[in-house]
Amino acid sequence: MAVLANQRINAQRLWDSLGEMAMIGPGVAGGCNRQTLTDADGQGRHLFARWCADAGMSMGVDTMGNMFATRAGTDPDALPVYMGSHLDTQPTGGRYDGVLGVLGALEVVRAMNDMGVKTRRPIVVTNWTNEEGARFAPAMLASGVFAGIHTQDYAYGRTDIDGKAFGEELARIGWLGDEKVGSRKMHAMLELHIEQGPILEATGKTIGVVTHGQGLWWLEITLTGKDAHTGSTPMNMRVNAGLGMARITESVHRIAMSHQPNAVGAVGQVKVYPNSRNVIPGKVVFTVDIRSPEQGKLDLMRGEVERAAHAVAAELGLGCAIESVGHFDPVTFDPDLVKVVRGAAERLGHAHMDIISGAGHDACWTNRVAPTVMIMCPCVGGLSHNEAEEISPEWAAAGTDVLLHACLEVAEVVG
Ligand code: HGY
Ligand code: MN
Ligand code: MN
């Protein structure tokens, strides 16, 4: 292991791969729009598969489209070490959210090949389908099916804003695999990801050792009022679903602010019907996203949001239906793997700190079925889910070097 201590990944090769992948499903402002199960996602998958083949790995794909590229170990019966994240992006996503975790893991294998390193355990580089949940809610859908959180039937039936179903779209892009989802067993799962928040950059740290992940509720609220003319309908005769949504959105913000310092809340997706300039909305469907690392606070906020929504609806004479379309409790990652990551960061001389993930990740679900940990690198201004998302090549390399050395330790170098 001492000989390997000075080994590093090929930072330029990683950066070039990130740049090449970003060209598939480009956004309009320098980022990416490679939403899950679109043709662009299919193209990105083919590029990733080609790179994995070039690195001598064998590819397996399961019935949720999760991709697993294996680098053989000396002991084929040993449970593998998995590393990965997601290649799908938000509609106005960045180049690095998820992608760094997949291509960083690929770079780790490429570097191991260059070093001629053998490990006892096989190593599997993974691309999880539909981590974002932007097109098909909930987020982390395919890793959730893998971990037994959701049934495959539930996932296949999820529809996008145009009514297209997940299962049909997966088949359409040609990435419906034959492996039974969830049949694979993991020794460990390591996920490298950009922080998507401002803490690491603001404190001058290069590596986040992720000890926990905050929990989340996605509550889809449907308010029903009455379409009417915006000009000729007297104010006291209106049953305005749009007004209800506005008041509930304000309540979500107020509730999150009342639970500071570690609570967040917002409404990000809104569908207004009929969405005509001179028609009072008779129906709105919107999703509330609330999160906290504290279980009690998270559940308290859910209750407060639901009560506030029903109170606003009653006041305005609106129908109100609330459905949970996404949920996971706060996560504690594997303490032994946390120590491995922290030790790798220390040996590599990177300034590091323990951190709680603000965003959800596939690691939150794999943590249910195998020891799991995350590694984070900073992103500029903490900005993500925005085409202007940016990281430095140095940050990308530092995070991937920590992933390399954590993987070498967990996969057990042989000879
Ligand atoms: O929503 C999340 O936290 C993740 O980006 N899917
Ligand atoms: Mn992500
Ligand atoms: Mn994301």
Side-chain angles (χ1 to χ4, degrees):
M1 274 297 276
V3 170
L4 295 176
N6 300 322
Q7 291 290 349
R8 300 292 182 271
I9 58 105
N10 182 325
Q12 189 57 52
R13 180 172 57 194
L14 170 63
W15 197 251
D16 292 347
S17 295
L18 288 165
E20 190 171 343
M21 182 60 75
M23 293 302 108
I24 298 178
V28 295
C32 290
N33 178 9
R34 193 173 52 246
Q35 295 183 62
T36 196
L37 307 188
T38 58
D39 294 339
D41 182 20
Q43 289 156 26
R45 287 163 172 264
H46 282 298
L47 177 60
F48 170 60
R50 176 161 59 83
W51 283 339
C52 290
D54 294 347
M57 292 194 269
S58 58
M59 182 65 75
V61 183
D62 72 15
T63 50
M64 283 296 294
N66 297 314
M67 298 171 74
F68 304 102
T70 299
R71 181 182 197 258
T74 57
D75 178 356
D77 299 328
L79 284 185
V81 174
Y82 284 68
M83 298 184 285
S85 189
H86 61 93
L87 291 174
D88 68 306
T89 76
Q90 287 285 334
T92 53
R95 297 175 158 219
Y96 310 104
D97 171 2
V99 184
L100 177 64
V102 178
L103 300 189
L106 169 63
E107 174 53 34
V108 164
V109 168
R110 286 167 165 172
M112 285 180 171
N113 291 345
D114 294 345
M115 293 146 48
V117 156
K118 288 191 176 60
T119 56
R120 184 175 78 85
R121 296 184 179 281
I123 290 167
V124 181
V125 175
T126 305
N127 170 35
W128 296 105
T129 303
N130 189 34
E131 186 280 342
E132 289 295 356
R135 186 180 175 200
F136 301 100
M140 302 112 73
L141 182 58
S143 53
V145 176
F146 181 91
I149 309 299
H150 309 299
T151 66
Q152 184 168 286
D153 286 350
Y154 164 78
Y156 276 19
R158 304 303 290 161
T159 54
D160 69 7
I161 205 162
D162 300 319
K164 289 186 181 154
F166 179 100
E168 289 160 13
E169 286 293 282
L170 178 62
R172 183 185 66 79
I173 67 165
W175 281 98
L176 169 58
D178 53 9
E179 276 189 24
K180 183 177 178 329
V181 60
S183 56
R184 287 173 170 259
K185 300 301 169 219
M186 302 171 163
H187 172 66
M189 166 74 185
L190 312 172
E191 180 168 2
L192 168 63
H193 205 287
I194 62 172
E195 179 198 341
Q196 300 183 292
I199 298 167
L200 293 175
E201 185 187 39
T203 55
K205 301 292 189 298
T206 308
I207 296 296
V209 181
V210 188
T211 57
H212 299 81
Q214 68 176 350
L216 161 151
W217 281 104
W218 278 1
L219 302 174
E220 187 176 84
I221 299 178
T222 301
L223 298 178
T224 43
K226 188 165 71 175
D227 293 8
H229 198 298
T230 50
S232 54
T233 310
M235 292 303 281
N236 64 356
M237 289 176 62
R238 298 181 177 206
V239 192
N240 186 342
L243 177 59
M245 175 191 63
R247 289 186 179 171
I248 293 167
T249 301
E250 174 64 34
S251 299
V252 169
H253 181 79
R254 174 181 48 75
I255 289 164
M257 292 308 289
S258 72
H259 287 285
Q260 290 311 301
N262 53 6
V264 291
V267 170
Q269 188 188 63
V270 175
K271 290 175 274 187
V272 179
Y273 302 89
N275 202 28
S276 168
R277 291 178 187 79
N278 44 7
V279 178
I280 297 166
K283 177 181 170 186
V284 293
V285 183
F286 56 104
T287 301
V288 174
D289 178 325
I290 48 176
R291 309 192 192 199
S292 175
E294 289 180 36
Q295 184 72 55
K297 191 174 273 193
L298 181 67
D299 293 339
L300 204 57
M301 286 203 293
R302 176 186 179 179
E304 290 170 352
V305 166
E306 291 184 336
R307 282 191 297 278
H310 286 300
V312 166
E315 190 187 329
L316 297 175
L318 299 169
C320 178
I322 302 176
E323 181 192 354
S324 164
V325 294
H327 170 236
F328 53 89
D329 290 333
V331 169
T332 300
F333 290 117
D334 181 79
D336 292 336
L337 288 177
V338 166
K339 282 195 198 102
V340 167
V341 167
R342 197 181 293 123
E346 267 154 24
R347 291 194 302 277
L348 289 162
H350 291 308
H352 59 85
M353 64 182 283
D354 289 2
I355 194 168
I356 295 173
S357 175
H361 304 283
D362 296 306
C364 297
W365 285 144
T366 62
N367 191 57
R368 295 285 187 92
V369 293
T372 295
V373 72
M374 293 190 73
I375 302 161
M376 282 187 174
C377 75
C379 52
V380 175
L383 186 64
S384 184
H385 286 194
N386 182 309
E387 290 205 49
E389 174 187 281
E390 196 50 76
I391 64 173
S392 72
E394 293 72 25
W395 286 341
T400 307
D401 277 328
V402 171
L403 182 65
L404 167 67
H405 286 276
C407 181
L408 286 171
E409 184 171 340
V410 179
E412 302 166 29
V413 173
V414 175

